[in-house]
Amino acid sequence: MRLNMEGLKEREAWSRAGVALPEYDWEAMCRNTEKAPVWVHFGAGNIFRGFIAGLQQRLLNQGLADSGIVAAETFDYDIIDKIYRPHDSMTLMVSLRPDGNTEKEVIASIAEGIRADSSDPEQWTKLKRIFENPSLQMASFTITEKGYAIRDLQGNLMRVVQEDMEQGPDRARHAMSVVAALMYARYLAGAAPVALVSMDNCSHNGEKLKSSVLTVVKGWRERELVPAEFEEYISDEARVSFPWSMIDKITPRPAEMIEKQLSEAGIQDMAPVVTSRNTYIAPFVNAEIPQYLVVEDRFPNGRPVLEKAGVYLTDRDTVNMTERMKVTTCLNPLHTALAVYGCLLGYTSIAAEMGDEDLRKLVEHIGYDEGMPVVTDPGIISPKAFIDEVISQRLPNPFIPDTPQRIATDTSQKVAIRFGETIKSYVADEKLDVKDLTCIPLALAGWLRYLLGVDDKGEVMAVSPDPMLTQLQQQLMGIKAGDPGSYKGQLKEILCNPVVFGVNLYEAGLAEKVEAMFCEMLAGPGSIRAALKKYVK
């Protein structure tokens, strides 16, 4: 059996393998999408293939939609060339139950994968035509937090963004410039309304998207590369909306055991590939079953009936409260703390870390004791029930092959939200004392210790990719693991930087505590474990 249109004709074989197939006419779906596209999604990776594309599949199966999603990739074009095209943009979704059983389904709702590359005339023209079509209702995004970043650690525009502003829409390269350029094509074609919906795992994601796109548009307008009316169009949320959202589903890298199971079931060509951008991706996606998507219901050109696929459609305040609940308290801070300490302590599995008494206590303290006093209850989802599920079921699931090394990627882009927001809430609340926080500062100290690239055994370890890694490690120069005396205040420039932590930790009253914990973890082999035991008791 092969994962493509031709291969799906062997329906009995797929059924014997326990794989559910789409219940709609795939070719008709593709034709309808080409004629009248409704939904474009930027970011062709696993969270899209394993979650968002499945939403449209639900609607197609129920006869509530007749078109699919166009996937656009702005960063890693190999994903389109090596994963999408050989499989007719289909994905084999493998849902992992805590008991080891799996549910398998072919997700075929992606009509086409396109490289969002302005230097590729054929692909660029195709994408522009989609945006020019008034039928388009929404463009959604899972491009990770760093995809919206257009400024460096010092707050200056990135060079690529500066060059995009100077060269204009036809030569856009940064993801935000690409979106602005495609919206300019839509403006020129009649300025039809549309919703631009960030579904990335970050606070106020719609606001981040709007701010970055508008910054590029303003740069073009100031250089007279686009008319002022285009900026007015992008700024008018009655025509171009930027709904906020909250998304949650763990979709780790492809697991070898799943690849083996699929191969033994007779499904061919399931081996992962490593792209030129070092993306590890496979024709299948393995992920946990729990999933949440809460979206602000502001779609000026209409929208798919997403509520029929399990999406919460609500107002901005509720989205914000739900997102804040998850990202700053109930899941993401726990994940980041496990990631950095897991790397330092030699773990290669998030689930295995939850069997470590010290690490389990660390995340319980961060979530229940330090986070819950300032958590916001969104009403539609219970924070207590959510964090209970995370700690008792989701993180310990041994069949979710997630690694601390993957979660530790781009941590500099995450700590301001995952920990900084809680710190700010403590500072703002007269009934709380920010200096009572212990495990959140411990998580921050652990991350800074992690950046040295030396584990708790004193051995060199790999540090996951991060856009600020070079700058941060330069600021840590001279600090040596195993030599507390090598610390000469190098952290001060980092700890006072609100770009990194969301607050100046000295002004917040936590910097000295983070410094002290960090220095304790410089004492030599075993000092990281000792610090954990000391503070999580």
Side-chain angles (χ1 to χ4, degrees), residues 208-268:
K208 292 180 188 297
L209 174 59
K210 181 176 183 178
S211 175
S212 295
V213 171
L214 265 175
T215 298
V216 174
V217 172
K218 288 178 187 292
W220 288 338
R221 190 259 301 157
E222 289 168 358
R223 292 166 176 79
E224 299 184 347
L225 296 172
V226 299
E229 290 78 9
F230 174 50
E231 183 181 350
E232 293 171 4
Y233 166 66
I234 291 289
S235 303
D236 181 1
E237 292 226 0
R239 292 189 288 172
V240 181
S241 66
F242 293 83
W244 294 12
S245 73
M246 187 284 282
I247 190 168
D248 182 29
K249 186 180 180 75
I250 298 174
T251 52
R253 66 186 290 169
E256 184 177 348
M257 66 175 181
I258 299 300
E259 178 194 352
K260 182 179 179 182
Q261 287 179 13
L262 298 177
S263 177
E264 290 174 349
I267 304 171
Q268 303 178 53

Side-chain angles (χ1 to χ4, degrees), residues 124 161-174 176-184 213-227 230-231:
W124 188 240
V161 177
Q162 189 69 38
E163 291 174 351
D164 283 349
M165 288 181 177
E166 294 167 357
Q167 295 172 355
D170 289 337
R171 298 176 66 182
R173 290 180 296 157
H174 188 280
M176 297 294 95
S177 307
V178 165
V179 175
L182 293 168
M183 287 301 296
Y184 186 49
V213 171
L214 265 175
T215 298
V216 174
V217 172
K218 288 178 187 292
W220 288 338
R221 190 259 301 157
E222 289 168 358
R223 292 166 176 79
E224 299 184 347
L225 296 172
V226 299
F230 174 50
E231 183 181 350

Side-chain angles (χ1 to χ4, degrees), residues 43-178:
N46 286 346
I47 187 67
F48 165 62
R49 298 161 65 222
F51 183 3
I52 296 164
L55 300 174
Q56 189 70 356
Q57 174 121 324
R58 303 286 87 75
L59 300 183
L60 285 160
N61 280 343
Q62 296 175 64
L64 298 174
D66 62 7
S67 65
I69 307 175
V70 175
E73 178 58 38
T74 61
F75 175 72
D76 194 338
Y77 304 139
D78 281 353
I79 293 175
I80 302 299
D81 297 336
K82 297 182 178 180
I83 294 296
Y84 276 65
R85 289 178 181 166
H87 301 284
D88 291 331
S89 300
M90 298 179 183
T91 300
L92 182 52
M93 178 62 202
V94 183
S95 298
L96 306 172
R97 292 188 172 278
D99 63 5
N101 290 320
T102 63
E103 298 175 5
K104 298 182 282 293
E105 179 182 12
V106 172
I107 303 296
S109 59
I110 306 170
E112 184 178 13
I114 298 177
R115 295 186 294 171
D117 180 4
S118 64
S119 68
D120 184 326
E122 188 222 343
Q123 294 280 284
W124 188 240
T125 298
K126 182 178 290 188
L127 202 48
K128 285 174 68 176
R129 294 291 176 266
I130 292 170
F131 270 78
E132 290 167 352
N133 198 317
S135 66
L136 185 66
Q137 294 180 334
M138 63 184 292
S140 53
F141 300 79
T142 52
I143 56 177
T144 75
E145 243 172 309
K146 65 182 178 181
Y148 306 96
I150 59 175
R151 298 184 185 275
D152 61 19
L153 191 60
Q154 285 73 42
N156 300 315
L157 283 174
M158 294 178 180
R159 182 175 178 180
V160 63
V161 177
Q162 189 69 38
E163 291 174 351
D164 283 349
M165 288 181 177
E166 294 167 357
Q167 295 172 355
D170 289 337
R171 298 176 66 182
R173 290 180 296 157
H174 188 280
M176 297 294 95
S177 307
V178 165

Side-chain angles (χ1 to χ4, degrees), residues 297-480:
D297 197 0
R298 286 194 307 120
F299 291 81
N301 200 31
R303 60 168 175 78
V305 286
L306 295 170
E307 65 273 22
K308 300 293 185 180
V311 178
Y312 295 89
L313 276 300
T314 185
D315 57 80
R316 177 172 291 189
D317 286 344
T318 303
V319 172
N320 190 37
M321 288 189 288
T322 309
E323 180 273 332
R324 186 177 181 86
M325 175 200 75
K326 181 192 78 105
V327 174
T328 70
T329 304
C330 294
L331 175 60
N332 297 59
L334 318 186
H335 236 171
T336 293
L338 288 173
V340 296
Y341 278 102
C343 293
L344 288 166
L345 297 176
Y347 281 99
T348 57
S349 162
I350 291 290
E353 286 188 72
M354 291 300 288
D356 184 310
E357 183 180 3
D358 296 329
L359 294 177
R360 188 180 183 94
K361 285 182 179 178
L362 173 66
V363 296
E364 287 176 346
H365 284 314
I366 290 173
Y368 290 117
D369 300 331
E370 299 185 355
M372 290 298 277
V374 293
V375 75
T376 305
D377 187 343
I380 60 173
I381 300 171
S382 162
K384 177 65 165 55
F386 190 96
I387 197 170
D388 285 347
E389 181 184 58
V390 167
I391 289 178
S392 66
Q393 299 179 41
R394 298 175 65 185
L395 293 178
N397 186 340
F399 302 101
I400 298 294
D402 217 348
T403 69
Q405 290 75 21
R406 184 187 80 88
I407 301 300
T409 300
D410 303 332
T411 300
S412 71
Q413 307 296 294
K414 303 170 182 175
V415 289
I417 301 302
R418 300 185 180 192
F419 301 108
E421 289 300 306
T422 295
I423 293 170
K424 286 191 283 188
S425 294
Y426 270 75
V427 171
D429 193 325
E430 294 180 356
K431 298 178 181 179
L432 297 172
D433 186 350
V434 70
K435 293 184 179 180
D436 288 339
L437 295 175
T438 297
C439 287
I440 285 177
L442 186 64
L444 300 179
W447 172 56
L448 294 166
R449 174 62 179 78
Y450 159 85
L451 292 173
L452 297 181
V454 179
D455 65 18
D456 199 29
K457 295 179 181 178
E459 298 174 354
V460 174
M461 69 173 189
V463 177
S464 299
D466 190 302
M468 291 186 179
L469 183 60
T470 300
Q471 292 169 286
L472 289 167
Q473 288 185 329
Q474 286 175 347
Q475 291 172 332
L476 296 173
M477 287 290 288
I479 302 176
K480 296 181 180 179

